[in-house]
Amino acid sequence: MEFSHVTRKTQLILDLGSVEAKLLRQTEVDCIHIFLAILVKPFSNEASDILRRSGIRLDHARDIARSHVEVPHVGKVDEYPFTNSAVSAVERARQIAVKKGEDRLTRPEHLLYAVLEQYDDCIDEVLDEYDVSASEICSKIVERLREED
């Protein structure tokens, strides 16, 4: 799914969200899939750095997400639509970017902040496993964004 006003890294993360959904045999991209996509190693960014410094690892986070899958999808899916909460997170990320300046593109750290604002029990479980809270991660993001001003 293409979103406007996002950086190339952010669009790549959103595209990787579909891959994460597929790996977990889901038919829609939800906030947990975006969260996992942020952690994909070759695509280092401010958001992934914050998560990794908190000790969060992709494989373990995927295992936790896998345990939340109620009924695995078995059919072929050609397109992975975004859930309402995932779309809301992308829209909220845009609002955060705009607050930083009118022409700002939505970056991965804006997206991570917005994903963490959405209630997702799977993401909460991942964070609990690493003894870190969404508010702690969000505070680190805000701190990074302030450093840019």
Side-chain angles (χ1 to χ4, degrees):
M1 180 174 238
E2 291 286 325
F3 291 94
S4 62
H5 299 94
V6 299
T7 64
R8 287 184 357 185
K9 281 186 179 183
T10 303
Q11 185 60 55
L12 182 58
I13 289 167
L14 295 169
D15 293 343
L16 286 171
S18 296
V19 174
E20 291 298 330
K22 183 177 182 177
L23 286 171
L24 294 174
R25 301 176 55 88
Q26 300 296 289
T27 58
E28 296 178 305
V29 178
D30 206 354
C31 288
I32 185 60
H33 304 117
I34 295 170
F35 180 87
L36 293 171
I38 289 170
L39 284 166
V40 172
K41 269 216 182 197
F43 310 106
S44 184
N45 56 70
E46 300 267 342
S48 64
D49 290 347
I50 289 170
L51 292 175
R52 286 189 194 110
R53 283 191 203 114
S54 297
I56 300 170
R57 298 292 173 252
L58 177 60
D59 289 343
H60 189 236
R62 258 191 208 133
D63 288 343
I64 293 169
R66 211 173 266 115
S67 73
H68 279 257
V69 175
E70 293 177 17
V71 179
H73 177 74
V74 291
K76 183 179 177 199
V77 177
D78 293 323
E79 187 176 319
Y80 290 82
F82 281 61
T83 63
N84 289 338
S85 63
V87 171
S88 293
V90 174
E91 290 170 353
R92 173 70 178 126
R94 174 72 183 136
Q95 292 171 354
I96 294 166
V98 168
K99 280 185 181 179
K100 295 294 291 174
E102 278 187 45
D103 294 331
R104 294 291 285 239
L105 295 175
T106 303
R107 298 190 328 238
E109 56 270 27
H110 303 131
L111 185 59
L112 176 58
Y113 190 99
V115 163
L116 293 173
E117 280 186 331
Q118 298 289 319
Y119 176 76
D120 187 302
D121 60 338
C122 187
I123 292 173
D124 287 346
E125 186 175 331
V126 170
L127 296 176
D128 286 347
E129 186 75 21
Y130 289 95
D131 199 29
V132 64
S133 69
S135 62
E136 288 175 83
I137 301 290
C138 287
S139 292
K140 291 176 183 178
I141 294 168
V142 168
E143 185 178 307
R144 284 273 179 95
L145 292 174
R146 283 190 182 135
E147 288 173 2
E148 295 175 4
D149 289 340

